[in-house]
Amino acid sequence: MLLIATVLALLSSCSKDKLSGDTIFSEASPQRDAFDEWLLKNYTYPYNVDFKYRMEDIESDMKYTLVPADSAKSAKLAIIVKYLWFDAYSEVINAEFVKLNVPRTIHLIGSPAYNSEGTMVLGTAEGGLKVTLYMVNWLTDDMLRDYATMNEYYFHTLHHEFTHILNQKKPYDTSFDLITESGYVSGDWYMKTDNEAHTAGFVTPYAMSEPVEDYAEVMSVYVTSAPQEWNAIIADAGVEGARLINNKLEMVRSYMNEQWNLDMDDLRDAVIRRAGELDKLDLETLN
């Protein structure tokens, strides 16, 4: 009888509860500053891209100790990223290609991300959906105008990660992997010099880590390097190294042409021309 009475009391108590009609989700418009509005206009509306500069722990890799990006430096980097990356591809192919294929999220981090062996992560791409860029707080006004530095920190990485995204959507011919099959050294790539990589048929030491990284390095190094810089790599590689690198280049070139209607020489011309205009780019005004 005591058990029945207890159950009846609970049912009676529950029946008197009144549910609120209020939603737990805020219906108020978010507070946006001028930079937020500029991001909507230049990234979200035309390309369906969420450009995150306020660090969110759920978007970050928890194995690293990281700090948020400075908002003023983030704004300048956002202007340059659009000009040298999105706009370059839009010029050579079209804006629709950019909208359909760029990652849905660009996430900025203020600090570097260091691996246990001491190597530094310049950027990551996750399943074609997100690209994360680090070291934003290291930027100075001089660095922003120096294409060589910006390319080392960001644009080489962006083209590299974008190549991964394109490869994930349309796989490349894996016979590429056999060109220098015995030359891959996995995690020991950072112990190789540029010359050692070049003479072994790789454009960078990192290309020696594994075939998919090799493929992305060929693309990113080629389209971000002036012709004389690329020719210097080929000259440093020697006869055999140059032959191997050129074989890889032709495979990447064919893939980009056939699968994406992208001419790598036209893209390189657009990137290098825009790089020469960095000192004329207005980084102070959000238009």
Side-chain angles (χ1 to χ4, degrees):
M1 289 294 294
L2 179 61
L3 177 60
I4 294 174
T6 302
V7 172
L8 288 174
L10 289 172
L11 290 174
S12 175
S13 175
C14 290
S15 67
K16 293 177 182 178
D17 290 344
K18 292 183 179 179
L19 298 178
S20 170
D22 297 335
T23 177
I24 62 172
F25 301 104
S26 174
E27 296 179 353
S29 298
Q31 295 296 314
R32 295 190 176 99
D33 60 19
F35 181 33
D36 295 322
E37 295 292 344
W38 185 90
L39 290 173
L40 286 176
K41 177 182 175 182
N42 289 274
Y43 281 93
T44 305
Y45 296 152
Y47 299 115
N48 192 29
V49 169
D50 185 9
F51 195 108
K52 295 179 180 290
Y53 66 97
R54 296 184 179 93
M55 193 171 78
E56 301 177 17
D57 57 356
I58 195 171
E59 297 284 354
S60 307
D61 192 328
M62 299 296 186
K63 72 181 179 183
Y64 299 118
T65 300
L66 305 169
V67 300
D70 178 85
S71 60
K73 293 180 179 182
S74 295
K76 293 177 180 180
L77 182 57
I79 293 170
I80 296 174
V81 165
K82 180 178 180 297
Y83 187 71
L84 274 180
W85 185 24
F86 280 34
D87 292 352
Y89 278 97
S90 292
E91 175 188 330
V92 174
I93 305 182
N94 53 56
E96 188 67 12
F97 167 85
V98 177
K99 181 178 181 179
L100 291 175
N101 295 295
V102 293
R104 300 279 68 87
T105 301
I106 298 175
H107 189 214
L108 301 187
I109 300 292
S111 58
Y114 291 102
N115 291 316
S116 58
E117 75 275 13
T119 59
M120 191 165 57
V121 178
L122 297 177
T124 58
E126 300 176 23
L129 299 176
K130 180 174 75 173
V131 163
T132 300
L133 297 178
Y134 298 87
M135 301 187 299
V136 174
N137 295 351
W138 284 24
L139 288 171
T140 65
D141 287 340
D142 287 341
M143 290 167 62
L144 287 163
R145 302 296 185 183
D146 180 8
Y147 174 68
T149 300
M150 294 297 289
N151 190 42
E152 178 184 356
Y153 282 3
Y154 301 110
F155 292 99
H156 175 96
T157 300
L158 286 171
H159 288 281
H160 176 107
E161 300 301 344
F162 191 45
T163 303
H164 283 321
I165 290 172
L166 297 179
N167 290 163
Q168 288 162 8
K169 292 189 174 188
K170 297 181 181 181
Y172 67 83
D173 182 353
T174 54
S175 62
F176 174 95
D177 304 358
L178 304 178
I179 296 175
T180 51
E181 183 178 15
S182 63
Y184 296 106
V185 296
S186 189
D188 292 335
W189 65 267
Y190 67 95
M191 301 172 65
K192 301 294 184 179
T193 66
D194 286 346
N195 177 257
E196 286 175 327
H198 297 162
T199 55
F202 299 89
V203 292
T204 64
Y206 185 55
M208 302 181 76
S209 60
E210 58 180 314
V212 292
E213 303 301 341
D214 189 8
Y215 200 98
E217 284 291 273
V218 172
M219 173 67 176
S220 58
V221 170
Y222 188 80
V223 301
T224 60
S225 300
Q228 62 270 26
E229 294 170 325
W230 177 263
N231 292 339
I233 292 174
I234 297 302
D236 188 49
V239 175
E240 180 59 14
R243 183 186 69 81
L244 296 170
I245 291 173
N246 282 324
N247 285 347
K248 293 177 181 179
L249 175 62
E250 287 311 307
M251 290 198 70
V252 177
R253 192 195 301 277
S254 296
Y255 166 85
M256 290 297 172
N257 265 315
E258 294 167 8
Q259 298 296 329
W260 297 104
N261 195 31
L262 170 61
D263 187 303
M264 288 173 57
D265 291 301
D266 288 347
L267 179 60
R268 179 173 69 172
D269 290 346
V271 168
I272 298 304
R273 188 192 72 248
R274 289 170 178 273
E277 298 166 352
L278 267 183
D279 60 340
K280 301 180 183 68
L281 201 59
D282 183 0
L283 302 180
E284 305 297 331
T285 306
L286 294 170
N287 295 317

